Amino acid sequence: MCEDMFVYLFGYGSLMWRPGFPYSRKFNAYIKGWKRVFYQGSTDHRGTIENPGRVVTLIKQPEDDKSNEVWLTWGTVYSISDDAAMPILKNLDYREKGGYERHELDVFLEEGDDVEPYGKAIVYLATTENLEFLGEDTNENIANQIFRSIGPSGRNIDYLLKLANSLHDMGVNDKHVFEIERLVLDLMSHHKINHHNETIENITDSLLSSSPDKSLELLNQHKRFYSKPLGQLCIDDGAVQAISQRAKSLLPVGIISIFGEFPKDSLVTILDVNSSQISRGITNYSSDEINQIIGKQSKDYFNTLTGFTKEAVIDHNNLILL
């Protein structure tokens, strides 16, 4: 059973590779009677109102299901200290505001009919009643929608491929996710789009939504994020939460270290304290200038040091999440 004084959070989507909060430990687990599906629309992260992306939610196994097979969904459980849980969940509520609600479900560590649950964990899921729920469609249509969608947090295909990679690494066979992954990889190959996210030049307007002007505008904005980064910024847990969950700009006070030499307006990769890539962004300052203000509060440099006319090292609208 779970230890006291900890809150457990079960992630089955982007939380698997980008939790964005400090935790005591993490481990693989599953929930019974639920299935991970690309049925939820995304207009705030991986798509737009005109051209929604698709992200995963959970659907409950029908009571009259005749398959004689209990649905299992594997994911990652994070152990969070009880005193840190409230601000973390508040930030997650904002991050998951696009139709997701908190629920509490049993999580299991070992498969079997008579296995006792490890304990209960908080799960964010989007029900069929939320306004952004898109529902079931053919895998081909879902793959095409993911392939052509792009939003403030970046390409929908990046979300899909990172989810699939997380499940491959766990050794989990998720037929729904892996079939959509296969279809999207075929589309990427056909249109000569780099699997490693270095270019999106070859997505054509014929593959974009019924609102091509808006989609092409977003596409052009995001092209710069898929060139080769010129440096890296390592940031602390507070900054990770600020940019990944609260849609904030990156301030110098959250930067721990800088790698590489680059001019202002350069693309850099942003790492957390575990060296995991969480974001990319376009800098307001050069590497030399950033080195002068690392760890400083804005009052210590903003409009007081020569040349520092912007509070943020990277503005929110110049960041994408990975």
Side-chain angles (χ1 to χ4, degrees), residues 180-225:
I180 294 171
E181 176 198 28
R182 183 189 68 79
L183 292 167
V184 167
L185 288 175
D186 286 347
L187 287 168
M188 293 173 69
S189 176
H190 178 74
H191 292 278
K192 298 181 173 60
I193 296 174
N194 191 294
H195 179 58
H196 299 290
N197 303 334
E198 294 301 329
T199 178
I200 53 175
E201 297 283 346
N202 296 304
I203 299 180
T204 64
D205 54 356
S206 63
L207 289 168
L208 297 172
S209 70
S210 57
S211 179
D213 291 341
K214 179 66 174 177
S215 297
L216 284 171
E217 178 186 341
L218 271 171
L219 183 61
N220 287 325
Q221 288 175 4
H222 280 269
K223 282 180 180 178
R224 56 186 174 166
F225 294 116

Side-chain angles (χ1 to χ4, degrees), residues 83-144:
D83 57 353
M86 186 174 294
I88 288 174
L89 291 174
K90 183 178 179 180
N91 288 336
L92 285 173
D93 288 344
Y94 182 87
R95 170 173 166 174
E96 306 293 344
K97 67 183 186 298
Y100 290 82
E101 300 173 349
R102 288 189 217 170
H103 293 256
E104 196 172 57
L105 299 174
D106 288 329
V107 294
F108 300 81
L109 302 185
E110 299 177 1
E111 295 188 33
D113 294 335
D114 300 320
V115 175
E116 290 292 322
Y118 179 77
K120 290 191 177 294
I122 294 170
V123 183
Y124 282 85
L125 63 91
T127 66
T128 58
E129 290 80 20
N130 85 86
L131 295 177
E132 298 200 31
F133 188 78
L134 297 178
E136 187 174 3
D137 205 337
T138 66
N139 287 339
E140 289 77 12
N141 286 344
I142 291 174
N144 273 287

Side-chain angles (χ1 to χ4, degrees), residues 296-307:
K296 292 183 181 293
Q297 299 283 347
S298 58
K299 63 182 177 61
D300 297 326
Y301 66 90
F302 182 46
N303 285 333
T304 59
L305 295 180
T306 303

Side-chain angles (χ1 to χ4, degrees), residues 1-9 22-27 77-85 89 104 118-122:
M1 295 297 292
C2 300
E3 309 99 298
D4 293 332
M5 308 305 292
F6 284 93
V7 172
Y8 292 85
L9 179 69
Y23 52 86
S24 301
R25 65 189 184 99
K26 68 175 183 178
F27 51 91
V77 172
Y78 297 94
S79 172
I80 306 167
S81 63
D82 196 44
D83 57 353
L89 291 174
E104 196 172 57
Y118 179 77
K120 290 191 177 294
I122 294 170

Side-chain angles (χ1 to χ4, degrees), residues 39-54:
Y39 289 2
Q40 177 66 6
S42 176
T43 61
D44 57 345
H45 286 296
R46 300 295 177 171
T48 63
I49 293 175
E50 298 86 355
N51 181 39
R54 276 188 180 257

Side-chain angles (χ1 to χ4, degrees), residues 152 224-225 229-235 239-240 242-244 246-259 262-271 278-287 289-290 293-294 296 298 301-302 308-322:
R224 56 186 174 166
F225 294 116
L230 298 182
Q232 296 177 328
L233 301 178
C234 180
I235 64 176
V240 170
I243 67 173
S244 66
R246 300 200 300 272
K248 300 294 186 180
S249 299
L250 177 60
L251 302 178
V253 68
I255 300 175
I256 299 172
S257 56
I258 181 172
F259 305 93
F262 48 84
K264 64 181 295 186
D265 297 320
S266 291
L267 176 68
V268 297
T269 302
I270 299 170
L271 312 174
I278 62 164
S279 180
R280 285 183 174 187
I282 309 295
T283 62
N284 289 328
Y285 298 113
S286 69
S287 54
E289 291 170 325
I290 296 172
I293 58 176
I294 280 181
K296 292 183 181 293
S298 58
Y301 66 90
F302 182 46
F308 292 93
T309 58
K310 292 190 175 182
E311 187 173 7
V313 170
I314 303 177
D315 294 320
H316 169 65
N317 59 1
N318 280 329
L319 284 165
I320 63 163
L321 301 177
L322 299 177

